[in-house]
């Protein structure tokens, strides 16, 4: 589940209501699979997605499986965490803006681990920064809990928050330059490894390797991917930074 060197280069995005997820988990080259219950799952499909996530969480997987729950003020986190099981290695909190929200996830995970006989503290947390407030709070988020694996940036939502024209196919690197560096500084100052960067959609667009290398050079450890080809290339690019162990 956890990589021996603690370095995670590729995070494959997988909405939890998607079919054939067992095949995806078993065959992907990605270091992490983001099992999504949030934006990628329509409201009407969330109950079925939770059923699938619960079944997957009972199994052991080679990639680290990170369950992305809904945002802190959605009222859905208790339902989302009912999916928790020994196959979940991390929980991703989207729209992270307050250290207290990460600490709440920590408390809930402690209860779940105790109930299931899992070592307390084994499950990690990733805080996904997707707003101006989240970026300004990055230093506090990075120190919120010992469970924190690192931070990540949700590029599309961040661009929308600053009022910039955005599609998942066109993300302005200049507009993202400052928040990306803020996350790197926050993570490194807290003794964590570099953050995760958002993905580039649709898969197959040229320039993916260059996009990975750009954020690698400013201190990121990996990138969200939308297919196995992106994951394999991200692994190759970010392997140049392996050796800096995460604080686990």
């Amino acid at each position: 589940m956890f990589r021996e060197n603690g370095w995670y280069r590729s995070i494959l995005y997988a909405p939890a209501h998607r079919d054939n997820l067992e095949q995806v988990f078993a065959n992907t080259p990605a270091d992490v699979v983001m099992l999504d219950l949030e934006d990628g799952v329509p409201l009407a499909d969330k109950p079925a997605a939770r059923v699938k996530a619960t079944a997957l969480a009972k199994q052991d997987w080679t990639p680290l499986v990170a369950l992305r729950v809904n945002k802190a003020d959605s009222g859905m986190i208790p339902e989302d965490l009912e999916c928790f099981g020994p196959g979940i290695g991390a929980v991703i909190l989207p729209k992270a803006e307050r250290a207290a929200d990460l600490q709440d996830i920590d408390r809930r995970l402690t209860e779940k681990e105790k109930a299931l006989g899992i070592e307390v503290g084994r499950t990690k947390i990733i805080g996904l920064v997707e707003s101006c407030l989240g970026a300004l709070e990055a230093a506090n988020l990075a120190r919120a809990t010992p469970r924190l694996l690192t931070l990540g940036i949700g590029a599309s939502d961040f661009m929308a928050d600053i009022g910039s024209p955005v599609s998942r196919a066109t993300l302005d690197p200049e507009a993202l330059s400052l928040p990306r560096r803020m996350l790197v500084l926050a993570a490194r100052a807290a003794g964590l490894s570099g953050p995760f960067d958002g993905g580039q959609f649709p898969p197959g667009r040229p320039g993916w390797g260059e996009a990975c290398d750009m954020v690698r050079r400013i201190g990121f450890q990996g990138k969200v991917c939308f297919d196995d080809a992106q994951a394999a290339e991200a692994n190759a690019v970010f392997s140049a930074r392996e050796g800096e162990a995460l604080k686990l």
Side-chain angles (χ1 to χ4, degrees):
M1 181 182 295
F2 292 101
R3 296 194 78 214
E4 186 175 338
N5 64 1
W7 195 260
Y8 299 92
R9 308 158 297 177
S10 51
I11 307 90
L12 182 69
Y13 175 73
H17 67 312
R18 175 178 169 182
D19 292 331
N20 301 320
L21 283 174
E22 292 87 351
Q23 295 179 22
V24 172
F25 282 29
N27 297 305
T28 183
D31 293 334
V32 181
V33 174
M34 182 194 297
L35 184 60
D36 186 32
L37 293 174
E38 196 221 5
D39 282 352
V41 181
L43 185 61
D45 292 329
K46 288 187 190 291
R50 293 187 184 106
V51 171
K52 290 187 176 183
T54 299
L56 291 164
K58 294 177 181 178
Q59 305 175 56
D60 292 328
W61 302 103
T62 298
L64 175 72
V65 177
L67 181 70
R68 182 163 79 164
V69 298
N70 286 276
K71 62 181 181 177
D73 62 358
S74 68
M76 290 187 264
I77 286 180
E79 291 178 273
D80 293 343
L81 288 181
E82 285 301 309
C83 304
F84 180 77
I88 301 297
V91 169
I92 299 175
L93 180 66
K95 280 78 175 180
E97 294 181 337
R98 301 191 313 154
D101 294 331
L102 295 173
Q103 291 159 358
D104 179 66
I105 297 290
D106 186 333
R107 178 183 61 79
R108 293 177 186 275
L109 286 175
T110 295
E111 294 173 356
K112 296 292 183 184
E113 289 167 337
K114 288 180 177 178
L116 294 173
I118 297 171
E119 179 187 356
V120 172
R122 188 210 67 171
T123 312
K124 304 306 176 185
I125 297 173
I126 298 168
L128 195 58
V129 172
E130 303 182 78
S131 68
C132 298
L133 178 57
L136 291 173
E137 286 292 315
N140 292 326
L141 295 173
R143 297 180 182 275
T145 164
R147 289 185 187 268
L148 197 73
L149 189 63
T150 192
L151 300 171
I153 186 166
S156 295
D157 283 320
F158 188 90
M159 294 283 285
D161 194 51
I162 64 174
S164 177
V166 60
S167 74
R168 287 199 295 176
T170 56
L171 296 175
D172 184 355
E174 183 64 25
L176 291 168
S177 178
L178 179 58
R180 279 172 168 157
R181 284 168 168 78
M182 291 172 71
L183 264 61
V184 169
L185 293 175
R188 299 301 282 171
L192 306 173
S193 198
F196 297 127
D197 193 50
Q200 177 175 295
F201 192 86
R205 288 178 57 215
W208 173 246
E210 290 81 356
C212 292
D213 189 59
M214 178 185 70
V215 296
R216 180 195 69 81
R217 288 185 285 107
I218 64 171
F220 278 73
Q221 67 162 300
K223 204 158 171 55
V224 173
C225 306
F226 291 103
D227 66 8
D228 285 344
Q230 283 190 336
E233 190 166 3
N235 288 348
V237 173
F238 286 101
S239 288
R241 287 193 61 105
E242 286 194 34
E244 294 185 31
L246 289 170
K247 181 182 178 183
L248 298 177

